Amino acid sequence: MKPDEQWLFVVFSVISLAFLSTVDSDLASDRAALVALRSAVRGRTLLWNLSDSPCTWVGVSCVQDRVTVLRLPGMGLLGQLPVAIGNLSQLQTLSLRYNALRGSIPSDFAQLSILRNLYLQGNQFSGEIPEFLFTLQNLVRLNLADNNFTGTISPKFDNLTRLDTLYLEDNSLTGSIPELDLPALVRFNVSNNKLNGSIPKRLATMNISAFQGNTLCGAPLAPCNGTKSDNGLSGGAIAGIVIGSVIGFLIVLALLLCFCRGRKSANKTISSKDAAPASSTVIQTETEIPREKTSVSTENTSTDFSGAVKAEAKSSGHKN
Ligand SMILES: *[C@@H]1O[C@H](CO)[C@@H](O)[C@H](O)[C@H]1NC(C)=O
Ligand SMILES: *[C@@H]1O[C@H](CO)[C@@H](O)[C@H](O)[C@H]1NC(C)=O
Ligand SMILES: *[C@@H]1O[C@H](CO)[C@@H](O)[C@H](O)[C@H]1NC(C)=O
Ligand SMILES: *[C@@H]1O[C@H](CO)[C@@H](O)[C@H](O)[C@H]1NC(C)=O
Ligand SMILES: *[C@@H]1O[C@H](CO)[C@@H](O)[C@H](O)[C@H]1NC(C)=O
Ligand SMILES: *[C@@H]1O[C@H](CO)[C@@H](O)[C@H](O)[C@H]1NC(C)=O
């Protein structure tokens, strides 16, 4: 070989070696992530033979020596997920449904950029639905049902433009359902949460059972009170406002009339010197007598109350 050719050969072999070793280290890093997961959550059936390739392990599927699917449903996985699954960078499907996982979804899930299916239903995950989920733009199916998620349903779900399934039922989500604009969405369920307000129009075609167990209104549930017409205020609301204003005006008018009459009669009484003090004493006694009564009665009740507290303290003392 000429020196030039030798040089080319060296460069070529270095490049190909580097390429091979990255492929290897990628599967090695998948393996390390799976082993870290296993030791953190210890399911009853994660009997993976560590001397075999991870692609042969139960629940693991590979494409071109990378883990693309991890399915461990009902495996008795217990506790909190470790920071590890995010290293499965070619993962497309992750199913950890019906285990006993709790705590929050680890933030390294944000690295699962090509994830399409995420099934975490039937665990005890808690906290708010994490923001980083809304960056996983390849998500098609997302099932977080039957967990302990709290907080609101973020309008940022709109970022997940490919979403066709969104299951959030049986959590403790609060607030109202945002006006989601998800063109591919066909399966949706938010039943048995603590949601309120009206159901967005785009979701009106969903099955009625997708909304039950909340305090929601509007199609497909019963219409919301006082919002029968579509464009702005309903006829009833407008009538209410008009009638309310008229009544308010009449009350003000009546008060003004009374005030004027009162002043006229006051002027009359002031003009006769004897009548004025008499009327003021009458007013005083009238106001004082009820005040006396109430002060007495509140005292009585307060003593009664403290007596009751003492009695209760005694009885609880006995219990202890
Ligand atoms: C995940 O990958 C990072 C970066 O390569 C590495 O430092 C970390 O140890 C890996 N974690 C696991 C659990 O394999
Ligand atoms: C694990 O795999 C190795 C190599 O394939 C095999 O020799 C060994 O018997 C396996 N162990 C178990 C417990 O199946
Ligand atoms: C929406 O997705 C893009 C692309 O992944 C991301 O950069 C952006 O932060 C996401 N927006 C929200 C609100 O999460
Ligand atoms: C989840 O919610 C259920 C019922 O609301 C409750 O019994 C359970 O303790 C909660 N679990 C966690 C981990 O918060
Ligand atoms: C929604 O979830 C509830 C509770 O799990 C279930 O009873 C109902 O059939 C579901 N409805 C739809 C449309 O998925
Ligand atoms: C509508 O009003 C009626 C009577 O005031 C009440 O019983 C009902 O719960 C209300 N419905 C909604 C969805 O607020």
Side-chain angles (χ1 to χ4, degrees):
M1 277 195 236
K2 289 177 201 166
D4 265 12
E5 280 174 358
Q6 265 181 356
W7 191 80
L8 257 178
F9 179 76
V10 167
V11 167
F12 179 76
S13 25
V14 164
I15 288 172
S16 51
L17 260 180
F19 181 72
L20 276 177
S21 70
T22 54
V23 168
D24 274 347
S25 76
D26 280 349
L27 186 58
S29 119
D30 285 355
R31 186 183 187 284
L34 291 170
V35 170
L37 172 67
R38 188 180 81 149
S39 54
V41 296
R42 246 177 282 153
R44 63 183 153 82
T45 47
L46 288 187
L47 300 171
W48 293 339
N49 186 341
L50 294 182
S51 24
D52 286 344
S53 158
C55 298
T56 67
W57 295 350
V58 168
V60 179
S61 307
C62 296
V63 172
Q64 292 173 346
D65 267 343
R66 290 303 310 275
V67 173
T68 57
V69 176
L70 179 60
R71 287 184 191 275
L72 301 170
M75 295 289 208
L77 308 183
L78 191 71
Q80 301 205 21
L81 285 178
V83 172
I85 290 175
N87 280 10
L88 301 170
S89 59
Q90 293 298 305
L91 202 62
Q92 292 182 20
T93 297
L94 176 61
S95 172
L96 299 172
R97 65 195 157 92
Y98 298 109
N99 284 291
L101 298 168
R102 56 182 166 74
S104 53
I105 303 176
S107 57
D108 68 325
F109 272 45
Q111 297 165 41
L112 299 172
S113 57
I114 64 166
L115 193 68
R116 294 165 55 85
N117 308 304
L118 180 56
Y119 305 107
L120 298 178
Q121 70 268 34
N123 285 286
Q124 287 149 38
F125 287 112
S126 54
E128 298 194 358
I129 297 172
E131 290 275 309
F132 56 75
L133 280 188
F134 309 126
T135 64
L136 304 181
Q137 291 203 298
N138 287 300
L139 275 180
V140 176
R141 300 201 177 88
L142 177 58
N143 195 332
L144 303 178
D146 205 356
N147 277 291
N148 281 26
F149 286 110
T150 52
T152 58
I153 300 175
S154 172
K156 290 177 187 166
F157 270 108
D158 268 354
N159 215 24
L160 307 177
T161 51
R162 297 186 184 175
L163 212 58
D164 88 356
T165 302
L166 178 57
Y167 284 151
L168 300 172
E169 70 267 21
D170 301 301
N171 280 290
S172 299
L173 299 171
T174 49
S176 57
I177 306 174
E179 294 274 349
L180 296 176
D181 183 14
L182 292 167
L185 194 69
V186 287
R187 280 172 288 269
F188 179 82
N189 200 334
V190 291
S191 65
N192 305 327
N193 278 287
K194 295 168 181 168
L195 299 168
N196 57 33
S198 61
I199 296 169
K201 283 211 183 56
R202 282 198 187 85
L203 299 172
T205 54
M206 298 289 170
N207 192 285
I208 195 167
S209 69
F211 302 99
Q212 279 163 344
N214 292 289
T215 43
L216 293 164
C217 63
L221 301 178
C224 302
N225 285 337
T227 54
K228 270 174 192 163
S229 89
D230 290 344
N231 39 357
L233 292 171
S234 68
I238 291 167
I241 288 168
V242 169
I243 291 170
S245 319
V246 169
I247 289 174
F249 177 72
L250 288 177
I251 288 173
V252 169
L253 204 69
L255 283 175
L256 277 174
L257 278 174
C258 288
F259 182 64
C260 288
R261 275 195 196 165
R263 277 186 64 164
K264 267 185 196 167
S265 59
N267 285 349
K268 271 184 196 167
T269 48
I270 282 168
S271 63
S272 86
K273 278 178 184 175
D274 295 343
S279 73
S280 71
T281 52
V282 165
I283 287 168
Q284 261 183 354
T285 50
E286 259 175 13
T287 49
E288 269 172 18
I289 289 167
R291 209 185 283 158
E292 238 169 46
K293 263 187 188 170
T294 51
S295 71
V296 166
S297 67
T298 47
E299 250 174 53
N300 279 347
T301 52
S302 73
T303 50
D304 282 351
F305 180 66
S306 63
V309 167
K310 272 177 202 163
E312 218 173 65
K314 264 187 194 171
S315 69
S316 67
H318 278 299
K319 269 180 208 162
N320 294 340

